Amino acid sequence: MTVLRLRAEAGTRRRADGRVLLGGSPFKVIRLSETGARLVSGWFDGERVADKPSHRRLAARLVRAGIAHPAYETAALSAQDVTAVVPVRDHAEALPPLLSALKELAAVIVVDDGSRVPVPAATLWHDCPRGPAAARNSGWRLATTELVAFVDADVAPEPGWLRPLLVHFEDPDVAAVAPRVRSTPGPSALARYEQSRSSLDLGGTAAPVRPGSRVSYVPSAALVVRTSALRDHGGFDERLRFGEDVDLVWRLNASGRQVRYEPASVVHHAPRTRWSAWARQRFEYGTSAAPLALRHGKAVAPLKVSIWSAVSWAAVAWGRPLVGAGVAVTTAGLLPRKLGRVGVPATESLRLALFGHLGAGRLFADAVTRPWAPVSIAVLASTRRGRLLLAAAFGRHVWDWYRERPPVRLPQWVAARIVDDAAYGAGVWWGVIRHRTATPLMPDLGNWPGRDGVSTAGAGERPA
């Protein structure tokens, strides 16, 4: 087996002499045996994971939980084990540089999805536009390699982009890996905004990809997938015009396969050039929520918090902040009793609970100004208290600007954020009406720090 090392996730904390690990996304508490604690301490200090089944199982548990990230030294697969599939429709001018960047791969299949002027470089053609899902399916079904790399025509991979993705396939449970998709720099205000807020850019931290986690989806603008996994799951759902990549990733997750996000690999994607086209794109992304909800239920919930956080913030919104604070403090006091049984100090438990309540406030603000926006903004704007709540919700954009210092002036930043969210929210409501389902608007009030998130792990056959 190849050499494996582990990197601790930045937010992972060790307590009780290393026998308790806290972290991951969604949040988990993992209790280790003394042997397991010694092993994990050594791994986090740079030691390799031994080729023993019990050691590999423990390492895999930490990776799946998001508490650690794998670092393989070598990859058995190479570029010659990869076929690129490039869907294109009408905009063939970006193909030559992309094809040059993909020349090391075993094969490149260009699928012309019904362009008005047929693309000469195409491998196969659709007589009429059938959508990106159908184009990608037509392409990967011609692949004979172990892996397929889906790459949009307007993507520009950085040199060496493939290797950080290939190493993850040393784990046979990994079905797909996605690179970081950064927005191509440009001088316009829109291009500068997209550099900081592109919906395709999922940040600079590696993560497992699954519903409800910090990285809940990855775009198919650039995505490497095992051909066998595509075959097993029928590829992309061609009935979906948008969100087909999210659907595929969630189906892979549901089958027990892993999907990884690896920002050490970077590709660049050209953003929209006009604000109207950009807003239309955000609207279209929003329309995918309803069909995804019909397939995946609560995975698309616009808000995931505990019922106690919901009650606490509802009291604040109703003009009873002391009641809300009382609910938050009282329920926070219940968590130390539960987590204390697995070795989490009371102060740590209180900290988790209180920060969970505070974080729920940010999630409420996101829901109010994004998926619920077409109704919630009108309702809140009708009262003085509601206007104050809206000001607080929009105020987070100002805070983000000061924290991130994007290359956009503050007024432009705030205006773009508001339009960004409103366009997406309008798309959500359009999909809700069209598909006759309210699921994308319904909160999930089952989350709570430590709820269903305490597990044990050891380094042998005995539980820790």
Side-chain angles (χ1 to χ4, degrees):
M1 300 179 75
T2 187
V3 174
L4 168 64
R5 302 182 193 276
L6 294 184
R7 295 183 290 106
E9 161 65 25
T12 296
R13 296 186 296 281
R14 289 183 277 178
R15 297 291 184 266
D17 297 324
R19 288 181 288 106
V20 175
L21 302 178
L22 302 95
S25 179
F27 180 84
K28 285 182 173 57
V29 178
I30 293 182
R31 184 176 58 183
L32 301 169
S33 66
E34 290 187 8
T35 301
R38 286 196 299 271
L39 286 172
V40 172
S41 179
W43 296 341
F44 285 178
D45 288 338
E47 295 178 8
R48 60 179 290 184
V49 179
D51 293 340
K52 295 181 178 180
S54 59
H55 292 202
R56 292 278 171 153
R57 283 196 301 271
L58 176 56
R61 175 174 287 188
L62 301 183
V63 168
R64 281 183 174 268
I67 283 176
H69 302 298
Y72 293 96
E73 291 190 359
T74 59
L77 299 174
S78 70
Q80 287 301 300
D81 296 296
V82 184
T83 295
V85 172
V86 182
V88 62
R89 180 184 171 196
D90 294 328
H91 301 289
E93 63 276 1
L95 279 177
L98 174 60
L99 296 180
S100 177
L102 300 176
K103 61 184 179 182
E104 62 175 338
L105 274 60
V108 178
I109 298 172
V110 178
V111 182
D112 182 346
D113 186 35
S115 296
R116 286 169 292 184
V117 177
V119 176
T123 308
L124 58 92
W125 295 261
H126 289 169
D127 293 335
C128 61
R130 292 167 49 193
R136 295 186 184 105
N137 283 344
S138 295
W140 73 256
R141 289 182 177 125
L142 296 180
T144 58
T145 53
E146 186 165 345
L147 302 176
V148 172
F150 297 104
V151 187
D152 281 359
D154 52 359
V155 162
E158 287 190 353
W161 72 286
L162 194 56
R163 188 185 181 282
L165 306 181
L166 294 179
V167 295
H168 285 283
F169 290 101
E170 291 300 296
D171 184 343
D173 287 337
V174 171
V177 188
R180 183 177 186 180
V181 183
R182 307 207 68 171
S183 187
T184 304
S188 69
L190 176 54
R192 287 183 279 114
Y193 174 80
E194 283 286 274
Q195 283 182 255
S196 300
R197 293 297 300 180
S198 170
S199 57
L200 302 181
D201 188 348
L202 303 175
T205 304
V209 183
R210 54 175 169 259
S213 68
R214 180 174 57 81
V215 178
S216 61
Y217 70 94
V218 286
S220 54
L223 179 65
V224 181
V225 189
R226 289 191 193 272
T227 310
S228 59
L230 291 166
R231 192 178 301 114
D232 291 343
H233 294 275
F236 296 94
D237 188 335
E238 298 182 15
R239 296 168 295 176
L240 293 172
R241 178 60 183 87
F242 302 99
E244 76 286 351
D245 39 15
V246 180
D247 170 69
L248 174 62
V249 166
W250 288 355
R251 283 189 283 123
L252 292 172
N253 283 143
S255 71
R257 308 296 295 274
Q258 290 188 65
V259 179
R260 299 287 307 176
Y261 172 62
E262 181 49 76
S265 170
V266 177
V267 304
H268 295 271
H269 184 275
R272 297 293 191 267
T273 57
R274 300 189 314 276
W275 285 102
S276 58
W278 165 81
R280 177 71 183 181
Q281 179 191 52
R282 295 303 198 268
F283 174 88
E284 290 170 340
Y285 288 162
T287 64
S288 68
L292 286 172
L294 294 174
R295 291 162 173 77
H296 302 282
K298 287 186 177 181
V300 301
L303 178 68
K304 296 176 182 289
V305 297
S306 76
I307 190 169
W308 297 117
S309 288
V311 170
S312 178
W313 283 104
V316 172
W318 198 255
R320 300 291 186 271
L322 292 181
V323 173
V327 171
V329 171
T330 301
T331 54
L334 301 176
L335 194 59
R337 184 176 179 181
K338 177 178 182 178
L339 296 187
R341 295 196 296 266
V342 294
V344 179
T347 53
E348 184 74 22
S349 298
L350 285 172
R351 176 182 177 276
L352 289 171
L354 291 174
F355 273 89
H357 284 310
L358 289 174
R362 172 66 186 242
L363 297 177
F364 269 104
D366 290 342
V368 164
T369 59
R370 191 167 170 83
W372 297 343
V375 171
S376 61
I377 290 179
V379 171
L380 290 174
S382 65
T383 66
R384 180 176 179 276
R385 184 184 302 139
R387 289 191 290 272
L388 291 175
L389 291 172
L390 275 180
F394 290 136
R396 77 194 194 284
H397 299 327
V398 178
W399 167 248
D400 288 345
W401 186 88
Y402 277 105
R403 181 169 52 88
E404 300 173 16
R405 294 293 179 173
V408 183
R409 290 183 299 169
L410 178 58
Q412 291 176 316
W413 170 265
V414 173
R417 287 289 300 273
I418 292 174
V419 174
D420 192 336
D421 290 348
Y424 178 86
V428 171
W429 279 80
W430 176 263
V432 163
I433 295 169
R434 182 181 179 188
H435 292 275
R436 299 179 181 179
T437 175
T439 302
L441 303 174
M442 303 301 293
D444 180 358
L445 304 181
N447 288 355
W448 178 251
R451 180 183 184 271
D452 300 327
V454 180
S455 61
T456 59
E461 297 305 317
R462 295 174 300 170

